[in-house]
Amino acid sequence: MVQGVARQVIVVRSPDPRFFEQAIFIVKEDAFKTGVTADQVLQEAQRAADGYLRKNTRWNRLWRRIPGPVYAAAGAVAATLCWCMALAL
């Protein structure tokens, strides 16, 4: 059912269509009353779409599964290797 309400929307097209074609944002009615320009609203929509994409990509999910102690151990091994190489020279 369609009501007679007009909404302002922003459509952000994806630079990489592998993930999505476009994102649609519904703008709050009072968004432009607070002195915000249309360009600022568009930039915020692009940042939101980019943030969502970065947060939900496969590599980011993979890195979140690795426990903290594994990161600590890898850092310790890397630091030890750097010290050993520095002492060998």
Side-chain angles (χ1 to χ4, degrees):
M1 181 175 188
V2 178
Q3 294 180 345
V5 176
R7 297 273 186 172
Q8 291 183 346
V9 297
I10 294 177
V11 177
V12 179
R13 300 202 185 283
S14 173
D16 188 0
R18 291 181 301 156
F19 300 111
F20 61 90
E21 290 181 28
Q22 59 188 7
I24 300 172
F25 294 90
I26 300 173
V27 180
K28 289 185 175 183
E29 292 178 16
D30 60 347
F32 294 106
K33 293 178 184 176
T34 60
V36 178
T37 65
D39 190 41
Q40 289 172 328
V41 173
L42 180 60
Q43 287 176 356
E44 182 63 28
Q46 288 173 334
R47 272 195 301 270
D50 186 45
Y52 177 81
L53 210 67
R54 288 178 192 266
K55 189 170 101 175
N56 293 302
T57 57
R58 182 171 37 144
W59 286 106
N60 192 16
R61 284 183 282 167
L62 174 68
W63 288 112
R64 280 190 273 161
R65 286 189 210 158
I66 299 173
V70 174
Y71 283 119
V77 168
T80 302
L81 289 175
C82 287
W83 274 106
C84 289
M85 288 175 52
L87 292 175
L89 295 177

